Amino acid sequence: QKEVEQDPGPLSVPEGAIVSLNCTYSNSAFQYFMWYRQYSRKGPELLMYTYSSGNKEDGRFTAQVDKSSKYISLFIRDSQPSDSATYLCAISSAGNMLTFGGGTRLMVKP
Amino acid sequence: NAGVTQTPKFQVLKTGQSMTLQCAQDMNHNSMYWYRQDPGMGLRLIYYSASEGTTDKGEVPNGYNVSRLNKREFSLRLESAAPSQTSVYFCASRGGIYVGDTDTQYFGPGTRLTVL
């Protein structure tokens, strides 16, 4: 079993929809949670970062962490075609390396 | 300020050939990383360098060597390329020294490598 699991998609939604992207993880020591966005043929870029459980909002993006369920989510409101990309969750514990999920490909259709 | 740069962008090798992937950052970052990305596998860490003069193995180091040439540059060498090393390789850098620090990792544009 992988330490971090992510549905590969693709997830296709119409413009304006609310998107929910999710990851599950197995190591309860993880306490730093990140979402990276990767456009086609580009390097990943950090989108959101959260520490421990709770929510964090940044514009149209909300990151949610539920440590009791070992489940993290990224919500995108009012999705735009420019949001079409692969979204990677990344998790770490203090003193350890980042562990990435396999990525979910999102397509937002005009 | 170019961020993280990688050369070459594309490379085709024959089995058994060697090559070095170059990475440089101009952000005065301490830590640098090499990842490979394969379909459905996410990013897997090959080697990292927490600071100039140190290197450590990551999750998938077999078949690779690295050199932290100076604070700016971190190269990845394939001594005898194999088809299993066909992948996209990303270099990243981060300001912190401690691997668990959550400073942002900045990624380069990647090198697409095919081994025939």
Side-chain angles (χ1 to χ4, degrees):
Chain A
Q1 183 191 4
K2 289 182 184 178
E3 280 198 293
V4 181
E5 298 273 5
Q6 193 174 1
D7 188 329
L11 179 61
S12 182
V13 301
E15 183 175 355
I18 296 174
V19 175
S20 172
L21 303 165
N22 310 294
C23 282
T24 59
Y25 62 95
S26 56
N27 188 344
S28 59
F30 287 142
Q31 53 186 314
Y32 300 95
F33 306 93
M34 284 144 275
W35 285 95
Y36 280 80
R37 178 175 61 195
Q38 185 177 22
Y39 290 115
S40 181
R41 295 184 176 268
K42 300 289 186 184
E45 56 180 343
L46 184 68
L47 193 60
M48 297 283 286
Y49 150 69
T50 53
Y51 169 70
S52 196
S53 287
N55 291 0
K56 183 174 183 178
E57 189 173 319
D58 184 1
R60 296 184 295 111
F61 299 89
T62 300
Q64 191 173 77
V65 175
D66 182 350
K67 290 190 73 179
S68 63
S69 302
K70 299 190 183 67
Y71 194 83
I72 67 170
S73 301
L74 177 70
F75 298 97
I76 307 174
R77 291 184 298 281
D78 188 25
S79 56
Q80 303 294 309
S82 59
D83 295 327
S84 298
T86 296
Y87 290 80
L88 299 151
C89 61
I91 307 178
S92 77
S93 57
N96 224 322
M97 294 165 278
L98 286 181
T99 301
F100 284 86
T104 299
R105 186 174 162 219
L106 171 67
M107 296 185 293
V108 181
K109 297 189 174 181
Chain B
N1 192 341
V4 180
T5 57
Q6 291 183 237
T7 56
K9 286 188 170 53
F10 304 92
Q11 185 70 47
V12 179
L13 292 177
K14 294 181 180 178
T15 297
Q17 287 184 316
S18 63
M19 79 161 295
T20 300
L21 281 65
Q22 307 286 355
C23 174
Q25 52 90 10
D26 62 2
M27 296 174 282
N28 200 34
H29 283 172
N30 290 303
S31 301
M32 297 185 74
Y33 307 81
W34 276 106
Y35 293 90
R36 60 178 288 172
Q37 186 175 38
D38 303 293
M41 300 292 289
L43 288 155
R44 293 183 292 169
L45 185 65
I46 305 170
Y47 271 93
Y48 67 97
S49 170
S51 61
E52 187 179 354
T54 69
T55 61
D56 284 288
K57 295 178 181 179
E59 181 185 353
V60 288
N62 291 344
Y64 305 95
N65 284 302
V66 290
S67 295
R68 183 73 183 267
L69 304 170
N70 47 55
K71 192 171 185 180
R72 290 187 64 249
E73 297 171 290
F74 188 38
S75 63
L76 178 73
R77 182 160 178 84
L78 287 69
E79 291 290 351
S80 179
S84 61
Q85 293 177 305
T86 293
S87 189
V88 182
Y89 291 85
F90 288 100
C91 177
S93 72
R94 184 177 61 86
I97 294 175
Y98 192 43
V99 176
D101 289 345
T102 53
D103 295 348
T104 301
Q105 282 195 25
Y106 293 87
F107 283 81
T111 294
R112 293 181 175 272
L113 176 66
T114 301
V115 183
L116 302 175

